[in-house]
């Protein structure tokens, strides 16, 4: 019988997802012992329990309901093809799943792969990509060190996870096609009880506040009063900027929030409009 008063979250025990997954939980104010040598840990201040697993196993555990939710790469979630919900993208562990071939070969297009052999740990994603493009090729499924397959004569090409491309290069390969862009996601069981759903909502609310905080900066600046109108129009802000008078009666201090994406453009425009003494401060959490 599952305990409906607690949400079970599966995270990778050790690997490229672990550190960012743990920090996200900690920044959400959830306290627990993150000694990943253990298999399980329970939070001291939030109704959540952690299972530390290999990432490949997480979609199965979530689909079976052993875990309620999990954090994995989209690549793994998709490859496993389980009936699970994609609940939220998390913005870390970004990578792509790509096709790569020996670097000395001139690549003229997807036809290169027709009748060839490709080594991969992602037979399902690769298979459907090839099918969609009308390419017939032998897929050799191997679970690791895929990039050495061409040099040992196991396959003509590989389909593997790439981030900088340096592993491919050092194995004499070059990336020629991108099949999928991936990042860490929260996946969930499709039959969560109402109680578990409401714990999940609380968790997501916290995670979103942390994410918004990271994507925004608090900005303070001084402006001569005769320039205030123009400066205010340049500031997006949460509602409208805060204006505080300075001791010098002709000047004011303006406070607002700027999104990371438009940050430098806004700063340049503000300076052009006469703003001075601009301070930019990180935001820990943001609740709208
Ligand atoms: P496990 O032992 O848990 O099975 P693993 O070796 O299969 O771990 P990792 O290498 O830790 O997996 O990668 C986990 C996930 O991180 C990948 O599935 C992918 O989504 C993402 N990832 C892989 N390589 C990179 C990279 N170079 N940069 C960023 N993210 C990556
Ligand atoms: Mg794995």
């Amino acid at each position: 019988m599952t305990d409906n008063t607690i949400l079970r979250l599966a995270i990778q025990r050790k690997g490229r997802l672990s550190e960012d997954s743990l920090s996200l939980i900690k920044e959400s104010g959830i306290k627990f012992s993150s000694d990943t040598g253990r298999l399980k840990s329970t939070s001291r201040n939030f109704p959540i329990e952690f299972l530390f697993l290999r990432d490949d196993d997480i979609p199965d555990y979530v689909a079976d309901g052993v875990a309620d939710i999990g954090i994995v790469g989209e690549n793994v979630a998709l490859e496993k093809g389980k009936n699970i919900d994609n609940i939220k993208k998390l913005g870390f562990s970004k990578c792509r799943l790509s096709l790569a071939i020996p670097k000395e070969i001139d690549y003229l297009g997807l036809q290169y792969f027709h009748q060839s052999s490709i080594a991969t740990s992602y037979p399902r994603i690769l298979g459907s990509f090839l099918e969609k493009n009308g390419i017939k090729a032998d897929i050799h499924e191997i679970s690791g060190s895929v990039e050495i397959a061409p040099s040992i004569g196991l396959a003509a090409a590989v389909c593997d996870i790439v981030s900088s491309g340096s592993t491919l290069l050092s194995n004499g390969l070059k990336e020629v096609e991108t099949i999928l862009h991936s990042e860490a996601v929260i996946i969930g069981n499709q039959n969560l009880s109402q109680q578990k759903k409401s714990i999940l909502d609380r968790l997501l609310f916290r995670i979103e506040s942390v994410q918004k905080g990271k994507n925004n900066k608090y900005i303070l600046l001084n402006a001569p009063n005769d320039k205030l109108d123009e400066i205010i129009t340049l500031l997006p802000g949460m509602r409208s900027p805060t204006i505080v008078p300075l001791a010098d009666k002709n000047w004011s201090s303006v406070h607002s929030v700027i999104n990371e994406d438009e940050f430098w453009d806004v700063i340049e425009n503000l300076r052009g409009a006469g703003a001075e003494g601009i301070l930019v401060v990180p935001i820990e959490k943001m609740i709208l």
Side-chain angles (χ1 to χ4, degrees):
M1 187 61 200
T2 55
D3 180 355
N4 273 317
T5 62
I6 201 156
L7 190 72
R8 273 191 161 183
L9 166 62
I11 48 186
Q12 189 188 27
R13 195 173 75 80
K14 191 165 175 293
R16 290 197 159 103
L17 292 157
S18 312
E19 198 181 311
D20 287 335
S21 304
L22 292 174
S23 338
L24 184 67
I25 301 297
K26 286 189 179 143
E27 284 165 329
S28 302
I30 295 172
K31 294 199 171 17
F32 64 102
S33 145
S34 58
D35 168 11
T36 49
R38 290 162 52 188
L39 190 66
K40 248 170 81 169
S41 172
T42 306
S43 168
R44 300 192 288 280
N45 64 351
F46 194 83
I48 194 162
E49 185 174 68
F50 303 90
L51 300 182
F52 302 110
L53 304 167
R54 284 202 57 193
D55 71 339
D56 313 64
D57 297 332
I58 293 177
D60 295 275
Y61 279 92
V62 169
D64 295 347
V66 175
D68 300 308
I69 58 171
I71 299 179
V72 283
E74 288 173 294
N75 51 315
V76 169
L78 207 64
E79 178 62 27
K80 296 293 170 186
K82 298 280 167 185
N83 291 325
I84 44 178
D85 285 337
N86 273 340
I87 296 176
K88 184 164 188 49
K89 295 197 190 225
L90 295 174
F92 56 81
S93 298
K94 287 194 175 165
C95 57
R96 49 196 190 273
L97 184 66
S98 294
L99 284 163
I101 63 172
K103 63 172 180 278
E104 56 283 359
I105 294 176
D106 281 334
Y107 181 70
L108 300 174
L110 266 182
Q111 278 305 318
Y112 172 83
F113 295 99
H114 198 62
Q115 311 291 6
S116 77
S117 56
I118 309 171
T120 189
S121 309
Y122 296 88
R124 179 188 288 260
I125 300 175
L126 175 61
S128 68
F129 173 81
L130 294 177
E131 196 185 321
K132 207 172 65 201
N133 288 284
I135 306 284
K136 287 209 161 31
D138 276 341
I139 298 179
H140 287 273
E141 181 176 357
I142 50 179
S143 60
S145 306
V146 172
E147 62 284 350
I148 64 162
S151 62
I152 60 171
L154 180 69
V158 304
C159 166
D160 202 7
I161 292 295
V162 186
S163 63
S164 68
S166 57
T167 311
L168 289 181
L169 266 182
S170 62
N171 284 283
L173 301 171
K174 62 178 176 188
E175 184 180 3
V176 292
E177 297 282 347
T178 302
I179 296 182
L180 175 84
H181 287 274
S182 174
E183 63 185 82
V185 281
I186 299 185
I187 53 169
N189 181 275
Q190 293 184 328
N191 301 304
L192 292 183
S193 67
Q194 276 313 320
Q195 267 170 301
K196 288 195 189 251
K197 273 189 191 149
S198 70
I199 305 172
L200 174 59
D201 285 344
R202 287 174 61 202
L203 175 68
L204 291 175
F205 177 78
R206 292 185 182 202
I207 289 176
E208 277 156 24
S209 309
V210 172
Q211 287 182 329
K212 279 190 211 116
K214 282 195 179 140
N215 292 335
N216 288 278
K217 298 277 179 260
Y218 192 75
I219 162 167
L220 304 93
L221 59 87
N222 293 331
N225 289 342
D226 57 352
K227 303 277 175 57
L228 270 181
D229 286 346
E230 185 185 352
I231 284 177
I232 289 167
T233 61
L234 296 172
L235 285 166
M238 293 229 274
R239 195 169 284 274
S240 81
T242 309
I243 315 267
V244 186
L246 294 186
D248 178 339
K249 286 194 176 53
N250 298 319
W251 284 73
S252 299
S253 169
V254 181
H255 304 189
S256 188
V257 172
I258 311 187
N259 193 281
E260 189 84 328
D261 298 334
E262 51 187 2
F263 180 76
W264 286 111
D265 288 338
V266 175
I267 296 285
E268 280 163 21
N269 293 339
L270 288 170
R271 290 186 67 213
E276 288 180 13
I278 303 176
L279 298 180
V280 178
V281 186
I283 297 173
E284 194 179 287
K285 295 184 182 67
M286 190 162 150
I287 294 145
L288 300 180

